[in-house]
Amino acid sequence: MSQVFAKGLTKNLSKFNSIFANKSFVRSLCNVTIGKDGLIKPIDKRTLQTADRRQTTFSDRSQLRYAKRLVIKLGSAVITREDQNGLALGRLASIVEQVAECQIEGRECIMVTSGAVAFGKQKLAQELLMTLTMRETLHPKEDATHILEPRAAAAVGQSGLMSLYDAMFAQYGVRIAQVLLTKPDFYNEETRKNLFATLTELISLNIVPIINTNDAVTPPMFVVEEENPVKGSKRSNLYEIDHNDKGISIKDNDSLAAMLSAEIQSDLLILMSDVDGIYNKPPWEDNARLLHTFSRDDRKNIRFGKKSKVGTGGMDSKLNAATWALDRGVSVVICNGSQDNAIKQIVEGRKIGTFFTETTTGSLPADTLAENARNGCRTLQNLSPAERADCVNTLADLLVSKKDFILDANQKDLAEAQRNGLARPLLNRLSLSAEKLRGLSTGLKQIAETSHNIVGRVLRHTKLADGLTLKQVTVPIGVLLVIFESRPDSLPQVAALSIASANGCLLKGGKEASFSNKALMELVKEALSTVGATNAISLISTREEISDLLCMEKHIDLIIPRGSSELVRTIQDQSQRIPVLGHAEGICHVYVDRDADLAKALKIVRDAKCDYPAACNAMETLLIHEDLFHNSNAAFFNDVCNMLKHEGVTIYSGPKLNQILTFGPPQAKHLKHEYGDLACCIELVKDVDDAVRHIHKYGSSHTDVIITENQTAAEHFQKQVDSACVFHNASSRFADGYRFGLGAEVGISTARIHARGPVGVEGLLSTKWILDGVDHSAAEFSEGGPRQYVHEKLPLPN
């Protein structure tokens, strides 16, 4: 099977490398190596010590799913009960289940475990309790207290611990092997060579090695000075084992796990502790912040507290071990072992614990950017409408004056996308041009022009009682998270709408437009700097997983997804606490009625399908009144099919049409489908109401069109079709913020909330109530009280 896979991999190596970022990912995932001749060869697992399996670590969490070999270290605080006498069996069972699942799905797992001392203490304590009465009888004056010797406890607990592991893993059909070590095993070259030969053999047999220090005989876990037997000088007993004499001190299980990971060339080391990860200062102190991603530059900003009362290593020890392993090509995550499914979530790329990477992004964490956006939002609110409009106009001018800078960046994205085989519809969305930029600039100037009376506009003015007046005014929603794919032109549109509506904004663009997005964000920041609100809008460029961003309900007030139906649906499903504004699909219909002007129909259908087939407002299904097929007007069916074919459109037939035609277009697999390309479905309906029923059943409530000269039929259609946009004798392509005169849209909403259809500035506003009184109290308005409500409607201020 591996030979077949390797053969297929050779044909698509360039595409495969683009997914995994470099050849080392291919090697680690598939157990293959790439020779000097370019051929892919399987790796003999028994020679893993010298095989070139890895060159660099994973650069972001999303790549952790490709980790093949895992070393999982369980600290004492993870598997030990709080009383330190016995194991936390429930927690341990969960970890064993996750390791077993990883092993079953094809990964290679090695465990480094603590717990023998705690398990032994539990058994010895029981033994002491059972013999307590006998000792008191024989020696009534003897002190009954007894201090348990840790080495004796380890000797008792080691066999029991392995029996427990064996029973737990057996439930999943996974075999294990115990490997007991002491520090001299690493110091002696012969025993060290035997150790790794044993480990590679166990791995090749699909057995999980469970490694533990032999605490019954091991030296104390601290550095001692001893005489160097060769030179007669003092040296630290660190047992450094690296080939280049730059090894790590094996003084706890963290350093042991790091050393093992490097030696067996592991892809991922998971250090499980009793804290969530690396904090910038002790987590119990105020304003302590968890570092979800750690790079070397973060080391100088970290201050450690006291280590755990359980185990031998503190958090600084874990940090040292993690960075040492990272230097040797091992990706590392430090996490809380008590968190549910921590291992599974880590290998799925979720933001669990602290991920160590060699890549230095230089950008702030997403939650910090969100806090900055909140503050920037307040700065924008304090500006005058004219100042916000000037800022948008500045951005509009920059799109034209710096078009060469933008287009150069866009060309880099297009070149990369073509190398990676990006689909044609996505390439169309990705592409920018001077014409597009001029159109964007014009749209942004429209936004600026219409933004002067948007924020703070009084919607309702009421006199509740004498001296008591109430106003309802428009205010920004707060901080927006806008997630978009492929289309970099979305970025300046959304930025301008956010500025005009005084909202803070986080933008998460697709990686296929990374160069374009960065270039456009530079212009946004330049425009914002003119009003002192640079941090109001930021680009999330740290490759944070969308699922993690969706959990920032304290920082983000509204999520607006723009992109494929898969993206939008995923966000709608995963966002449980933050409202989502958007549409999952753009299944737009054009219905040609019996009373249609057929020349108009051909023109509108061509525009709706062919003007920009990748757009969400493009026609996907053409509904034709059956009389235009059966009667003397049947020529229209041939005309519309010929026109679409001439435009390069692939035609599919609906079930009714397919039954009638002997030789015709292939039947559509499903009528509820968004092609997003030069393809569409044609179906017959018997009348207007049948068309409405079809749209309600298969449409997405986006945009639907009727073409008819019958005004009654048109009004009936527009009233009955429950979509965000319903047009008469006009192309579906008009469903657009710019064409509606909104300047641009942040997205098109098919939800039945305050904003529906193309969402411009007003869709990004909420309201608040402002009440002005003198000395009013609610009790005064009770029956018989001195004050009465009048609820008089007052004129709105200009």
Side-chain angles (χ1 to χ4, degrees):
M1 180 176 177
S2 62
Q3 293 176 347
V4 174
F5 185 69
K7 183 178 180 181
L9 184 60
T10 307
K11 296 180 179 180
N12 300 285
L13 186 56
S14 62
K15 183 175 181 180
F16 205 74
N17 287 342
S18 69
I19 297 174
F20 294 162
N22 57 54
K23 294 180 182 179
S24 64
F25 293 173
V26 179
R27 287 191 286 269
S28 66
L29 179 63
C30 308
N31 288 326
V32 296
T33 185
I34 303 172
K36 294 181 179 179
D37 54 3
L39 297 178
I40 297 177
K41 304 173 183 179
I43 286 179
D44 183 354
K45 292 183 182 179
R46 302 186 187 192
T47 63
L48 282 175
Q49 280 182 267
T50 58
D52 178 21
R53 294 181 69 248
R54 295 195 37 87
Q55 292 177 347
T56 59
T57 58
F58 297 113
S59 59
D60 69 273
R61 288 178 181 269
S62 64
Q63 296 169 340
L64 295 181
R65 68 191 65 182
Y66 305 123
K68 175 73 172 177
R69 178 164 296 168
L70 314 180
V71 173
I72 300 148
K73 177 262 177 180
L74 309 183
S76 299
V78 174
I79 61 175
T80 304
R81 291 192 331 219
E82 290 187 4
D83 61 7
Q84 303 177 42
N85 290 317
L87 304 181
L89 295 178
R91 191 181 306 150
L92 186 59
S94 174
I95 293 171
V96 166
E97 180 181 18
Q98 295 173 71
V99 173
E101 288 181 2
C102 288
Q103 189 78 8
I104 291 169
E105 68 185 21
R107 303 183 196 272
E108 300 167 346
C109 299
I110 302 97
M111 292 178 63
V112 177
T113 184
S114 303
V117 174
F119 201 21
K121 281 185 177 180
Q122 183 184 32
K123 290 187 172 297
L124 288 178
Q126 293 171 350
E127 185 67 23
L128 289 172
L129 183 63
M130 292 176 62
T131 61
L132 179 61
T133 304
M134 179 66 70
R135 291 199 309 275
E136 288 180 336
T137 300
L138 296 176
H139 307 283
K141 295 183 179 180
E142 182 179 321
D143 188 358
T145 61
H146 189 279
I147 299 176
L148 296 176
E149 168 59 46
R151 290 186 179 85
V156 172
Q158 281 168 351
S159 59
L161 178 64
M162 287 308 302
S163 296
L164 181 62
Y165 273 126
D166 190 44
M168 286 182 168
F169 276 103
Q171 300 297 314
Y172 306 96
V174 175
R175 292 174 296 165
I176 65 167
Q178 180 185 28
V179 181
L180 279 177
L181 303 174
T182 60
K183 286 193 285 187
D185 292 327
F186 302 104
Y187 185 68
N188 182 281
E189 183 64 27
E190 185 65 27
T191 57
R192 181 171 155 273
K193 183 185 299 183
N194 292 340
L195 166 63
F196 293 111
T198 300
L199 290 179
T200 52
E201 179 68 19
L202 292 173
I203 291 170
S204 70
L205 295 173
N206 200 32
I207 294 174
V208 176
I210 298 183
I211 299 168
N212 195 2
T213 52
N214 190 351
D215 293 328
V217 299
T218 191
M221 287 296 191
F222 53 81
V223 177
V224 295
E225 295 292 320
E226 67 178 13
E227 195 75 19
N228 188 320
V230 178
K231 298 181 180 181
S233 60
K234 293 280 187 176
R235 70 172 176 86
S236 295
N237 184 14
L238 301 181
Y239 300 109
E240 297 181 343
I241 48 78
D242 188 79
H243 298 300
N244 298 320
D245 294 328
K246 295 180 181 178
I248 188 171
S249 304
I250 307 299
K251 57 182 179 179
D252 52 36
N253 276 352
D254 296 314
S255 51
L256 168 62
M259 189 279 299
L260 286 170
S261 298
E263 285 293 315
I264 64 171
Q265 297 173 320
S266 171
D267 300 312
L268 175 62
L269 167 62
I270 300 176
L271 298 175
M272 308 192 84
S273 178
D274 58 347
V275 294
D276 294 334
I278 300 293
Y279 285 79
N280 61 333
K281 57 183 177 180
W284 55 85
E285 293 187 9
D286 292 339
N287 300 318
R289 180 169 58 87
L290 177 65
L291 304 179
H292 291 290
T293 303
F294 179 93
S295 62
R296 300 195 180 282
D297 294 341
D298 296 316
R299 182 62 187 259
K300 59 182 177 293
N301 299 321
I302 295 177
R303 178 169 55 84
F304 292 105
K306 297 179 180 179
K307 77 177 189 68
S308 169
K309 63 181 180 180
V310 181
T312 57
M315 191 52 66
D316 54 343
S317 171
K318 292 173 177 56
L319 180 59
N320 291 334
T323 53
W324 187 89
L326 189 69
D327 284 341
R328 286 146 185 84
V330 181
S331 294
V332 185
V333 174
I334 296 178
C335 70
N336 192 329
S338 63
Q339 184 166 346
D340 291 340
N341 294 319
I343 297 173
K344 290 180 64 177
Q345 292 190 70
I346 287 169
V347 296
E348 288 172 359
R350 296 294 300 276
K351 193 166 66 175
I352 303 297
T354 299
F355 169 63
F356 286 71
T357 177
E358 294 173 334
T359 304
T360 303
T361 62
S363 60
L364 296 171
D367 52 353
T368 302
L369 293 175
E371 292 174 7
N372 291 344
R374 179 78 67 191
N375 295 328
C377 165
R378 291 167 182 149
T379 300
L380 289 174
Q381 290 181 59
N382 291 329
L383 297 176
S384 68
E387 288 173 318
R388 289 194 294 270
D390 288 343
C391 183
V392 176
N393 279 321
T394 299
L395 178 57
D397 293 336
L398 287 171
L399 291 176
V400 176
S401 63
K402 295 194 175 183
K403 67 179 186 300
D404 293 339
F405 170 66
I406 300 169
L407 295 179
D408 286 346
N410 187 241
Q411 282 301 314
K412 293 179 182 178
D413 287 325
L414 289 172
E416 185 69 21
Q418 289 169 348
R419 280 195 296 269
N420 295 336
L422 195 68
R424 184 173 61 176
L426 295 179
L427 275 175
N428 292 337
R429 294 183 180 187
L430 177 60
S431 177
L432 292 175
S433 64
E435 183 181 359
K436 265 190 181 182
L437 293 175
R438 284 194 298 271
L440 278 173
S441 178
T442 302
L444 265 57
K445 287 184 178 294
Q446 283 185 359
I447 294 173
E449 184 179 349
T450 59
S451 67
H452 289 277
N453 61 346
I454 295 295
V455 180
R457 180 162 56 96
V458 179
L459 302 179
R460 190 190 301 259
H461 194 193
T462 307
K463 178 181 177 181
L464 300 185
D466 289 339
L468 188 64
T469 58
L470 177 69
K471 288 186 292 187
Q472 184 186 22
V473 300
T474 57
V475 295
I477 288 175
V479 175
L480 314 175
L481 168 61
V482 181
I483 304 169
F484 57 97
E485 293 179 323
S486 300
R487 292 182 58 177
D489 52 334
S490 298
L491 194 151
Q493 289 178 332
V494 174
L497 290 168
S498 297
I499 295 168
S501 58
N503 282 291
C505 187
L506 295 180
L507 292 161
K508 178 67 174 71
K511 63 181 180 181
E512 65 277 1
S514 60
F515 290 106
S516 304
N517 290 336
K518 288 177 182 177
L520 290 166
M521 181 52 65
E522 284 188 32
L523 306 188
V524 172
K525 292 287 190 182
E526 184 176 342
L528 286 168
S529 67
T530 63
V531 293
T534 307
N535 291 332
I537 301 174
S538 293
L539 181 67
I540 300 291
S541 57
T542 55
R543 297 189 180 183
E544 299 281 356
E545 285 297 292
I546 291 177
S547 56
D548 295 320
L549 291 169
L550 299 184
C551 298
M552 295 185 183
E553 66 272 8
K554 294 182 179 179
H555 302 299
I556 297 168
D557 301 299
L558 180 67
I559 300 173
I560 304 174
R562 297 183 59 164
S564 66
S565 58
E566 181 182 0
L567 167 71
V568 180
R569 192 177 295 109
T570 298
I571 293 169
Q572 290 173 335
D573 291 342
Q574 292 185 5
S575 179
Q576 299 179 358
R577 298 182 181 89
I578 309 174
V580 178
L581 177 72
H583 68 282
E585 295 168 310
I587 305 175
C588 303
H589 296 76
V590 174
Y591 165 56
V592 182
D593 186 47
R594 175 178 53 189
D595 298 323
D597 181 315
L598 300 183
K600 290 181 182 179
L602 287 174
K603 177 182 178 182
I604 293 171
V605 169
R606 177 188 286 109
D607 185 80
K609 178 71 263 183
C610 308
D611 177 61
Y612 189 12
C616 63
N617 58 13
M619 182 193 76
E620 306 295 359
T621 299
L622 173 62
L623 300 176
I624 300 176
H625 194 291
E626 60 185 17
D627 287 355
L628 298 180
F629 181 84
H630 293 298
N631 296 346
S632 59
N633 289 323
F636 172 75
F637 177 77
N638 293 328
D639 290 344
V640 75
C641 288
N642 289 333
M643 179 272 293
L644 290 172
K645 289 180 179 178
H646 178 74
E647 297 289 342
V649 177
T650 302
I651 301 174
Y652 299 94
S653 61
K656 293 179 183 178
L657 179 60
N658 186 259
Q659 288 180 358
I660 296 172
L661 295 174
T662 304
F663 301 100
Q667 185 170 347
K669 293 182 180 180
H670 203 287
L671 293 176
K672 191 178 180 67
H673 180 69
E674 182 178 12
Y675 295 97
D677 201 354
L678 284 171
C680 72
C681 175
I682 300 179
E683 180 62 310
L684 301 180
V685 292
K686 62 182 180 181
D687 54 26
V688 175
D689 288 324
D690 194 22
V692 171
R693 284 191 293 269
H694 181 103
I695 291 169
H696 285 168
K697 184 173 182 179
Y698 299 110
S700 61
S701 300
H702 192 294
T703 301
D704 297 292
V705 176
I706 182 173
I707 304 174
T708 184
E709 298 303 302
N710 186 325
Q711 189 62 33
T712 302
E715 291 174 359
H716 180 72
F717 182 89
Q718 289 179 307
K719 181 178 180 180
Q720 294 298 318
V721 172
D722 186 19
S723 295
C725 302
V726 187
F727 300 162
H728 173 213
N729 285 353
S731 169
S732 59
R733 291 279 291 123
F734 281 99
D736 175 81
Y738 172 72
R739 296 185 177 99
F740 276 15
L742 305 178
E745 85 236 359
V746 73
I748 293 181
S749 171
T750 56
R752 289 158 177 81
I753 55 176
H754 77 289
R756 202 171 181 209
V759 180
V761 175
E762 292 188 358
L764 301 180
L765 298 174
S766 183
T767 63
K768 70 179 178 182
W769 298 91
I770 297 176
L771 184 65
D772 292 309
V774 181
D775 61 347
H776 295 78
S777 63
E780 293 177 300
F781 291 85
S782 59
E783 186 175 355
R787 286 176 166 167
Q788 302 294 323
Y789 290 112
V790 296
H791 290 134
E792 177 186 340
K793 187 176 181 180
L794 299 176
L796 299 179
N798 294 329

